[in-house]
Amino acid sequence: MLNEVERWLTTRSWSVTDRPLHQILAAKQRTKQTVSVVLPALNEEETVGDIVAIIRHDLMQQVPLVDEIVVVDSGSTDRTSQVAAAAGATVVHRDEILPRIPTVPGKGEVLWRSLLVTSGDIVCFIDADLKEFSSDFVTGIVGPLLTEPEVDLVKAMYDRPLGGAAGQGGRVTELMARPLLNMHWPQLAGFVQPLGGEYAARRSLLEQLPFPVGYGIELGMLVDALHLVGLDALAQVDVGVRKHRHQDGQALGRMSAAIYRTAQLRLARGHLIRPALTQFERGDTGFEPRTYSVDTEERPPMADIAEYAERKVA
């Protein structure tokens, strides 16, 4: 491991217990920064309500840490929107945000558009499929941004059990993202969960970054933030254990293809030979091919969008 990464691990890797809540609240009051929590959601009616309710109770009603909770529904066919609203979130549909630009499917698309419907100086992203959720996820990653002015982006790190086995979650991280980062961006080798969906950042950083529209968003954001603000502006915080819904192997294959494509563009900004992935499923007559397109689109930095600039002026 690079000496720089070893040093970073001692100076920019923390535990949620390193910053008591009273210290975080004092820093928020002193700096007068506002905090938005965003949950991108697609058919998450079973979990989104509990997450919103816990954040509201612990960090809005009990203490004034979070200023707004926004759930961006990316086309749910279940009761995600109704459940989230009933729990106290502001719910916005993806297609209602920046309608002049047609939407495309993908998590990164939702996160990018969320910048237009939130106002916080700090934006905290939380996946909507978490089970046994704790508000430590929010305080852990928001805390350093309030107490450490030189830090611009904070990722959560945690254990990810799979089927009762500890540490077996995060298969795409271990098989795709970690090798890519270690080989091509070794400064980022210290991140325990580079693809984790729980992270917070200053709006001033997020609005300068391009957003891959799909699964490549987390890797792309890390790499681009490294180049823009440097390693010491990035950090991670241990928040314990993350339990969530796991995807099947073929879905993970498609995720891996999108992540590889995101890395490829950042390595060369070159021509994609074949932006598609063929997988196989056994059918009545044997193995049948299924070909899926790989996300090849990225949204520009939000600072380049006229509507966003107009909103900031207003």
Side-chain angles (χ1 to χ4, degrees):
M1 183 176 289
L2 294 175
N3 290 337
E4 183 180 6
V5 176
E6 291 182 351
R7 177 193 56 78
W8 179 85
L9 283 169
T10 64
T11 61
R12 289 291 184 267
S13 291
W14 297 297
S15 166
V16 66
T17 59
D18 290 335
R19 289 176 181 78
L21 187 55
H22 68 83
Q23 179 183 346
I24 297 172
L25 291 169
K28 184 178 193 292
Q29 185 176 20
R30 183 177 66 254
T31 62
K32 302 189 184 312
Q33 296 178 89
T34 53
V35 177
S36 300
V37 174
V38 173
L39 279 72
L42 177 63
N43 295 329
E44 304 294 356
E45 67 176 358
E46 294 183 5
T47 50
V48 68
D50 287 341
I51 298 172
V52 170
I54 289 169
I55 295 172
R56 275 189 58 82
H57 176 268
D58 293 359
L59 304 179
M60 296 182 80
Q61 296 169 348
Q62 295 286 91
V63 299
L65 179 64
V66 171
D67 297 281
E68 62 177 350
I69 306 175
V70 177
V71 171
V72 183
D73 191 327
S74 60
S76 298
T77 56
D78 64 2
R79 298 183 64 254
T80 290
S81 289
Q82 296 92 317
V83 170
T90 298
V91 178
V92 186
H93 195 281
R94 173 199 62 195
D95 297 348
E96 298 172 353
I97 307 169
L98 201 61
R100 74 172 176 85
I101 299 179
T103 59
V104 296
K107 179 182 178 182
E109 175 84 349
V110 174
L111 300 186
W112 182 71
R113 291 176 186 265
S114 76
L115 296 180
L116 263 167
V117 292
T118 54
S119 58
D121 302 305
I122 294 169
V123 183
C124 173
F125 299 117
I126 300 289
D127 280 352
D129 66 342
L130 302 188
K131 303 174 182 177
E132 301 178 26
F133 178 77
S134 166
S135 57
D136 283 352
F137 275 75
V138 176
T139 57
I141 56 180
V142 167
L145 293 166
L146 290 169
T147 61
E148 311 290 335
E150 66 275 16
V151 171
D152 289 327
L153 184 150
V154 182
K155 298 276 294 188
M157 57 177 166
Y158 32 66
D159 295 316
R160 296 182 69 179
L162 175 64
Q168 295 303 305
R171 291 160 288 173
V172 175
T173 293
E174 300 304 327
L175 296 174
M176 175 60 71
R178 200 177 308 286
L180 280 173
L181 292 175
N182 274 264
M183 287 186 288
H184 299 296
W185 298 281
Q187 287 177 295
L188 298 174
F191 277 94
V192 175
Q193 297 292 351
L195 300 185
E198 291 70 45
Y199 47 97
R202 301 190 191 282
R203 178 177 295 272
S204 57
L205 171 63
L206 293 172
E207 66 187 14
Q208 297 182 69
L209 299 177
F211 276 55
V213 297
Y215 287 124
I217 177 61
E218 276 82 23
L219 183 133
M221 185 178 291
L222 263 188
V223 170
D224 293 339
L226 173 68
H227 291 308
L228 190 62
V229 295
L231 182 60
D232 282 340
L234 313 180
Q236 61 184 351
V237 174
D238 187 349
V239 297
V241 179
R242 182 186 197 267
K243 297 182 180 179
H244 64 107
R245 171 174 45 82
H246 292 280
Q247 302 193 56
D248 63 32
Q250 293 216 330
L252 297 181
R254 296 190 290 274
M255 185 184 301
S256 297
I259 290 166
Y260 180 78
R261 166 261 171 191
T262 301
Q264 180 193 41
L265 288 183
R266 278 151 181 78
L267 285 168
R269 295 291 173 183
H271 175 65
L272 287 172
I273 296 173
R274 181 176 181 260
L277 175 72
T278 298
Q279 298 177 316
F280 294 88
E281 299 177 8
R282 184 179 288 280
D284 295 337
T285 59
F287 286 104
E288 300 174 356
R290 300 281 189 273
T291 298
Y292 302 88
S293 61
V294 175
D295 297 323
T296 58
E297 189 169 355
E298 295 194 3
R299 295 305 189 190
M302 187 57 78
D304 295 344
I305 299 298
E307 290 89 337
Y308 186 79
E310 291 168 2
R311 192 195 72 162
K312 291 187 71 175
V313 170

